[in-house]
Amino acid sequence: MIQTTYESTHQQRYRQAGGAWDLPPLDVLLSARADHDGGAELVDGVTGARARADEIGATAARWLAANGVRAGDAVAWQLPNSLAAVALYRGCWRLGAIAVPVHHLANRSELDAVAAAVSARVVVTAQRRDEVLAGRVTGASTDRVWPAHDEDLRHAEASDVAAVLFTAGSTGHPKGVLHTHQTLGYKARLMPSVHGLTSQDTVLMPAPLAHISGLLNGVLIPQVVGMTCLLMPKWEPAVALDLIETYEVTFMVGPPTFFVSLMNDPSFSRSRVRSLRLISTGGAGVTPAFVERAANELGARVKRSYGSTEAPTVATSSVHDPWIFGRDFDGRAVGQAELRIGDDGELLVRGPEVCAGYLDPADNGTAFVDGGWFRTGDRATITEDGWLTITGRLKDIIIRGGENISVTEVESVIAAHPLVAECAVAVSYTH
């Protein structure tokens, strides 16, 4: 069984009654909306197939149970964004099993390495996708008896590990990031109010559901709110324009390259994206010049956000802040997240959404410092009133004449030139 590997004394206060982690396991949290009005609707952007998340999650739970999965077991899968991928998340959480998604472009050896690292009970690939949605059982003992009622399948505890997400990080070797029902549930419940989302919104999700952004914005938030999630298996700007126009998409999350390619597509017009209301963007290439261009051409509020696999969306601007703050800053701390600048200008983060450690406990030693602070590896500045600006990675520094120059600062200056659409600055060291 995979268990949490890090928790500080500071974090224990989140468990108190009324604290940030005083919430039910994810399946119960997400089902609450379904009990109200049917819950989130999922739409396959390729086939147009529709499903309710709660319903296909229950089917997936029964399929997993029939294949021998029990509470505490790890289930790995490698699927593009699809109904089946969402169903597996929900199926795992209903059983109290641990979801371990693998990027759909990873090679077989990478999939095998992940499955071995977590001792996966079941590994699902595209060849078994239809089994998950239909509830068919292949290769399992036929004498297994399914519980009579879906409620009998629920065995998760809120403090259990809910998902292991793999990230290369700054060390070069993949690290399994442990998130519990509490860390993910807290974030899922908080962000709709920060973004101003309601059940009337529709999100287009091309970012992989195997990454924290896809998991948060394509699985968790839509199901907490009861909104529609439109799933894209891969990014294609022309297809995205069709989907935005047809389904009247209001919300998108992604890196700048998505939106630059959208605006540069020959079929782009302002009228085709008139439904867009909010765009949250982060990562490399987010500059004030990009945000201003995207806001003007897409006709939506565009704002910068900051987070990582270990500490998802800890900073952004809210719908109540002047739009200019979303242009010029990477946000400020949301909810109970705390930000501070440590040694060498490194950004440190702590809060209820910070992961519960790494699969390999040895990785915790360099990632966390006393008091539950997570070392992001990013350089940053914070204004007196809390506005954050990421200035680069610790290693991405240009030294000229004894002065440190931020890569991000250089990129911002270049990107502001009217003839530059996109840019990236790389640092090369010679000895």
Side-chain angles (χ1 to χ4, degrees):
M1 177 180 290
I2 299 172
Q3 297 179 316
T4 57
T5 61
Y6 181 83
E7 183 178 323
S8 70
T9 302
H10 173 82
Q11 289 169 309
Q12 291 173 10
R13 68 186 179 93
Y14 302 143
R15 297 191 190 281
Q16 298 173 0
W21 286 350
D22 185 8
L23 42 71
L26 284 171
D27 187 63
V28 177
L29 178 67
L30 302 181
S31 292
R33 187 73 204 194
D35 293 340
H36 178 260
D37 60 6
E41 183 175 51
L42 306 169
V43 182
D44 187 310
V46 175
T47 66
R50 295 172 178 265
R52 293 287 179 179
D54 210 57
E55 295 173 2
I56 61 174
T59 300
R62 288 178 170 272
W63 181 83
L64 290 169
N67 277 280
V69 176
R70 297 295 181 263
D73 288 340
V75 176
W77 67 82
Q78 185 180 35
L79 297 171
N81 288 4
S82 59
L83 302 181
V86 179
L88 283 168
Y89 272 120
R90 288 297 303 272
C92 284
W93 296 335
R94 178 156 295 196
L95 293 175
I98 301 169
V100 189
V102 179
H103 195 290
H104 64 283
L105 295 180
N107 59 42
R108 183 53 190 258
S109 64
E110 292 170 319
L111 173 62
D112 290 345
V114 167
V118 299
S119 301
R121 174 74 66 179
V122 169
V123 178
V124 181
T125 59
Q127 289 72 24
R128 305 191 73 184
R129 178 172 53 189
D130 292 341
E131 293 179 32
V132 175
L133 293 174
R136 295 196 305 271
V137 180
T138 298
S141 173
T142 56
D143 61 1
R144 293 192 184 277
V145 178
W146 286 350
H149 304 287
D150 286 341
E151 289 295 327
D152 296 333
L153 293 171
R154 284 185 167 145
H155 298 290
E157 298 291 339
S159 59
D160 291 344
V161 174
V164 182
L165 305 177
F166 280 81
T167 176
S170 59
T171 63
H173 74 277
K175 294 187 291 187
V177 178
L178 307 181
H179 272 289
T180 67
H181 291 259
Q182 293 166 327
T183 61
L184 294 176
Y186 165 78
K187 190 88 277 186
R189 208 162 53 172
L190 170 69
M191 293 311 296
S193 61
V194 174
H195 290 320
L197 298 171
T198 73
S199 60
Q200 301 304 306
D201 282 298
T202 295
V203 60
L204 177 63
M205 183 45 62
L209 299 184
H211 288 175
I212 190 63
S213 180
L215 169 55
L216 179 60
N217 297 287
V219 179
L220 295 169
I221 290 176
Q223 293 183 42
V224 165
V225 176
M227 59 195 281
T228 299
C229 180
L230 189 58
L231 298 165
M232 284 187 74
K234 64 178 180 179
W235 177 251
E236 296 177 282
V239 174
L241 284 168
D242 288 339
L243 294 174
I244 293 169
E245 186 175 24
T246 300
Y247 291 92
E248 298 184 332
V249 171
T250 61
F251 176 49
M252 286 185 67
V253 177
T257 184
F258 280 7
F259 305 106
V260 170
S261 63
L262 198 69
M263 295 182 289
N264 290 344
D265 191 86
S267 64
F268 174 80
S269 69
R270 177 74 172 269
S271 64
R272 300 195 69 191
V273 297
R274 62 183 179 274
S275 61
L276 281 177
R277 181 176 61 81
L278 177 66
I279 290 169
S280 180
T281 183
V286 182
T287 63
F290 159 75
V291 172
E292 189 147 2
R293 180 197 172 191
N296 289 334
E297 295 190 24
L298 298 175
R301 182 188 179 104
V302 181
K303 63 171 183 170
R304 293 157 60 175
S305 297
Y306 173 78
S308 64
T309 305
E310 293 89 343
T313 319
V314 289
T316 190
S317 55
S318 79
V319 291
H320 305 295
D321 293 316
W323 78 272
I324 196 170
F325 287 97
R327 181 194 69 181
D328 295 341
F329 298 99
D330 292 299
R332 57 181 169 184
V334 296
Q336 296 183 35
E338 300 174 75
L339 314 176
R340 73 176 176 90
I341 304 300
D343 297 338
D344 299 325
E346 182 180 15
L347 176 66
L348 304 180
V349 175
R350 71 179 179 185
E353 60 273 272
V354 174
C355 71
Y358 292 101
L359 185 65
D360 183 353
D363 289 325
N364 294 334
T366 57
F368 296 93
V369 295
D370 292 343
W373 292 96
F374 171 68
R375 298 183 58 194
T376 66
D378 290 319
R379 289 180 179 270
T381 60
I382 301 176
T383 66
E384 290 185 359
D385 50 354
W387 289 99
L388 172 73
T389 300
I390 301 299
T391 59
R393 295 289 292 172
L394 285 180
K395 297 180 180 179
D396 290 345
I397 293 294
I398 301 167
I399 302 176
R400 181 179 175 86
E403 180 182 1
N404 291 341
I405 303 172
S406 163
V407 165
T408 303
E409 182 180 357
V410 175
E411 288 177 341
S412 296
V413 172
I414 297 173
H417 194 284
L419 298 181
V420 175
E422 295 181 83
C423 72
V425 176
V427 180
S428 177
Y429 297 96
T430 58
H431 300 282

